[in-house]
Amino acid sequence: MQTKNNDWLLARRLTQSILMLTIVTLVFSIQVAHADDDLVIDGVTTTIPGGTYRMVLVKNSGSLIIDGTLEAQEIYLETNGALTVRENIQSATLDVDGALLVSGNLNCERLTIAGGVSTVLGTNNFAPLTIVGGELVVLGFWNINNLTVINEGKLRVHRVDGNLPQSGTVTILANNVLIEEGGIIDGLGAGNDLRGQGNDWYTSASAGGHIGTGGRGYWTSSSGVNRGQSFGSPFTYEAYMGGASGRRSGLSNGGAGILIEAEYSLTVNGTISADGRDGVNSSHGGGAGGTVLLRSANISISGTLSANGGDGGYHGGGGGGGAIKVFYGNATMGNLDERTSSTGGKKGGYLNTQNGGKGSVYRDYIPKVESLITPVVGETLPNGTVAFSFSMLDLSATLDERADVLSPRIELSTDGFKTVSHTFDHVETFTGWNKVAYESGDTAEFTTQTPLPSGAYQWRVMLRDQSLYSRPTIPQTFFVGDGPPNTTLVADMTMTPSVVIYGAIGSRCAVEYKDVLSEEGAWHTLAIVTIETNPQLYFDVTGIGESKRFYRIQQVP
């Protein structure tokens, strides 16, 4: 079968000569692989041990099974090609228009799903992920650069499985996320939190619960209590699965727990669903809705978010509604109630069956520190107590019709926040703070109760409302000593690492760094910079005293 993206995939394939294999039977084995080899599987079934290749191509309904780890610069699945890897994949490019199954972790620089069904049972690290068609099944934590789901592409949460830890949930940590119209993140019927589990079968066909209680199934007495219980909170920074309808069958599962964090931007023009499944027959209640939790400094929602309970079978109750939680900075959402749904499922209708209880929709402006006031950058303080001050902002009173109480947290480091040396948390104690409770517009002041030892310090602040801490501020450096900084410290300040940025005036970019330049490990974001001059300098005060540090610039919206 010719795939819709075949021409696009073929255009990406290198035209260099390919290692030709003589196929004698439909199942054969290759014992030796070299990093400069190309491997082509065309219409046959092949099992080989793990190996290293330049390029791997599986096409024309061919099937390649790797009994180990696969390393390759490029991997292509075309025209119903199938690839099964029983351990890990390491690749620069992975284009899939077929069937992919990875039992371990997937580490690649670019992953594209164009068709077919792919399943990754481990984690994916730091690849731009584009789903333009077909379906990608995932679970657990995914750390990626950018996630794009367009056309009829679908990212689906793996159904809960006791043999697969973190199944039924997914946490996506990305720089940017774009779910275009037609694109779907699907957690339908993937969850089963035992705290909200109902019962099965006929007179006890109660539904699963989550935020909303599961509806009671058919019962000979209207006073009978028999349903999935409510659990969890609408406000906390947690994403729970919904409860299933029954203990024995597990067929009418609850919705998944979906948590998506986008550092720079999150746009939902398509659909994100964590709905519970309807009762599978007349004697089952519906599964409860799960959780859709979104967080980003810049959010735009014109699509739909849902965590609805499933409808009950004829003798069953409706599943309880789940939770929608949106944590945002700048936002374009309009009336969020028009784009979200967390209703309870409908009752089956027989005698005194019940609808599922209503779920929740919660939005919360992420508080932020407007400015670090004292100590100032590069200031030298005498030995003794140190006084910190900063101003804070929370627009929840205006945007969310709720005035949040804020609790700040100051962190100090002596090594550029590889470690934290001191923590002063308003949640833990009021001692040293100028107020018991803070609100938006307040200036917080804190004085250390014991002297800080001499040395160079970096300090940063984060704020907590009733739900979560904000991102920490960009660290600033100050010094503690008996007098002015010595010549070594002056030299350190003079030699603050600087990054020269070239770009269009008004554009924005992320400044990122690594201490070791290798394919392994994450790039760490220092700051988001708006280019005001060309070129423009960015000074990395956290790099003072570091023996070496590597930088890169990433354009952001």
Side-chain angles (χ1 to χ4, degrees), residues 210-212 233-235 290 292 307 321-325 340-343 357-362:
H210 184 188
I211 300 299
S233 167
F235 316 116
V292 175
I324 307 290
K325 307 177 184 182
T340 58
S341 178
S342 59
T343 61
K358 183 180 179 180
S360 62
V361 176
Y362 176 68

Side-chain angles (χ1 to χ4, degrees), residues 173-176 261-265 295-298 471 525 528:
L173 308 178
N175 289 332
N176 302 285
E261 288 191 12
E263 185 74 18
Y264 308 133
S265 68
R295 171 178 178 159
S296 182
N298 297 281
R471 298 283 191 229
T525 300
I528 304 299

Side-chain angles (χ1 to χ4, degrees), residues 101-392:
L101 173 60
V102 183
S103 297
N105 297 331
L106 174 60
N107 295 281
C108 59
E109 297 176 13
R110 186 182 62 80
L111 171 61
T112 302
I113 307 296
V117 178
S118 298
T119 301
V120 179
L121 301 181
T123 59
N124 178 74
N125 292 308
F126 307 107
L129 168 57
T130 303
I131 306 175
V132 299
E135 184 174 302
L136 175 62
V137 183
V138 299
L139 57 89
F141 283 87
W142 278 56
N143 294 284
I144 57 181
N145 187 348
N146 298 319
L147 168 63
T148 304
V149 185
I150 58 178
N151 298 336
E152 301 299 320
K154 178 186 292 188
L155 187 147
R156 180 164 60 86
V157 182
H158 195 292
R159 180 178 172 179
V160 66
D161 182 333
N163 297 316
L164 295 174
Q166 302 179 25
S167 57
T169 66
V170 66
T171 297
I172 297 173
L173 308 178
N175 289 332
N176 302 285
V177 173
L178 171 61
I179 313 300
E180 274 292 14
E181 185 175 357
I184 300 174
I185 295 183
D186 183 16
L188 171 66
N192 180 8
D193 194 305
L194 299 182
R195 290 172 293 180
Q197 195 171 55
N199 291 297
D200 345 318
W201 207 247
Y202 197 51
T203 59
S204 57
S206 62
H210 184 188
I211 300 299
T213 303
R216 185 181 59 239
Y218 161 55
W219 195 261
T220 55
S221 168
S222 61
S223 63
V225 177
N226 173 36
R227 50 189 177 176
Q229 298 302 301
S230 175
F231 68 93
S233 167
F235 316 116
T236 56
Y237 201 74
E238 299 165 301
Y240 292 120
M241 299 180 284
S245 70
R247 298 180 183 277
R248 291 189 295 272
S249 70
L251 296 176
S252 302
N253 273 4
I258 301 171
L259 188 155
I260 302 175
E261 288 191 12
E263 185 74 18
Y264 308 133
S265 68
L266 195 162
T267 301
V268 183
N269 300 327
T271 301
I272 302 179
S273 168
D275 294 344
R277 193 173 293 279
D278 294 342
V280 294
N281 57 42
S282 65
S283 299
H284 281 85
T291 308
V292 175
L293 190 158
L294 308 179
R295 171 178 178 159
S296 182
N298 297 281
I299 284 185
S300 175
I301 301 175
S302 63
T304 59
L305 313 176
S306 66
N308 298 317
D311 295 341
Y314 183 57
H315 297 99
I324 307 290
K325 307 177 184 182
V326 179
F327 300 92
Y328 66 97
N330 299 319
T332 304
M333 295 185 290
N335 185 350
L336 193 61
D337 291 337
E338 296 178 353
R339 296 179 173 85
T340 58
S341 178
S342 59
T343 61
K346 297 178 182 178
K347 62 183 181 181
Y350 183 69
L351 292 181
N352 53 6
T353 55
Q354 292 179 327
N355 294 326
K358 183 180 179 180
S360 62
V361 176
Y362 176 68
R363 54 183 286 171
D364 187 12
Y365 180 86
I366 303 171
K368 63 182 179 181
V369 176
E370 284 201 287
S371 63
L372 301 181
I373 301 172
T374 59
V376 299
V377 176
E379 182 178 7
T380 300
L381 304 171
N383 282 330
T385 59
V386 176
F388 299 88
S389 65
F390 48 90
S391 60
M392 59 190 72

